[in-house]
Amino acid sequence: QVQLVESGGGLVQAGGSLRLSCAVSESTFGISDMGWYRQAPGKQREWVAGVTRGGSTNYADSVKGRFTISRDNAKNTVYLQMNSLKPEDTAVYNCYADWFGRRFGQGTQVTVSS
């Protein structure tokens, strides 16, 4: 069964940086879009960023200019470089990959202290 395995979350001070990674567990051909959502306690899930197979990117306004999404198609891996982190970025971050439907990772906690 295809799984998405995330890594890179943790605790960081405001203004700091983290890099999240998400790898598809098996060699899978034909993944289209990949990206990230996040969900903070007591809030609805929020789409954060997405990248097409060809490398086109889109961002939520709340992270534009601070976060950068990228992917390595050969490795079926998507990355999220997060800079200038703010306490309001604190959330569980879930990656996704579109392959016969949208598949999600288990989530990784990002905590930004003030």
Side-chain angles (χ1 to χ4, degrees):
Q1 183 176 357
V2 173
Q3 292 184 328
L4 279 64
V5 181
E6 297 145 339
S7 60
L11 173 64
V12 64
Q13 288 189 332
S17 298
L18 283 174
R19 188 191 194 212
L20 306 183
S21 299
C22 172
V24 178
S25 61
E26 297 179 11
S27 178
T28 304
F29 178 77
I31 294 175
S32 56
D33 293 355
M34 301 183 78
W36 297 87
Y37 285 85
R38 69 185 180 185
Q39 188 165 20
K43 295 188 177 181
Q44 288 189 332
R45 186 174 66 175
E46 174 190 23
W47 174 83
V48 174
V51 57
T52 67
R53 185 169 184 81
S56 296
T57 59
N58 278 293
Y59 299 92
D61 288 343
S62 57
V63 306
K64 202 171 292 184
R66 300 187 297 120
F67 290 11
T68 302
I69 189 170
S70 61
R71 66 188 283 175
D72 183 332
N73 290 332
K75 297 181 179 179
N76 281 338
T77 300
V78 62
Y79 306 96
L80 187 67
Q81 178 66 43
M82 305 185 294
N83 298 329
S84 302
L85 282 162
K86 304 175 181 180
E88 51 264 44
D89 294 318
T90 295
V92 174
Y93 285 70
N94 291 90
C95 65
Y96 67 86
D98 289 343
W99 184 74
F100 296 99
R102 179 152 291 183
R103 300 170 183 268
F104 291 92
Q106 80 286 356
T108 186
Q109 177 69 45
V110 171
T111 303
V112 185
S113 63
S114 57

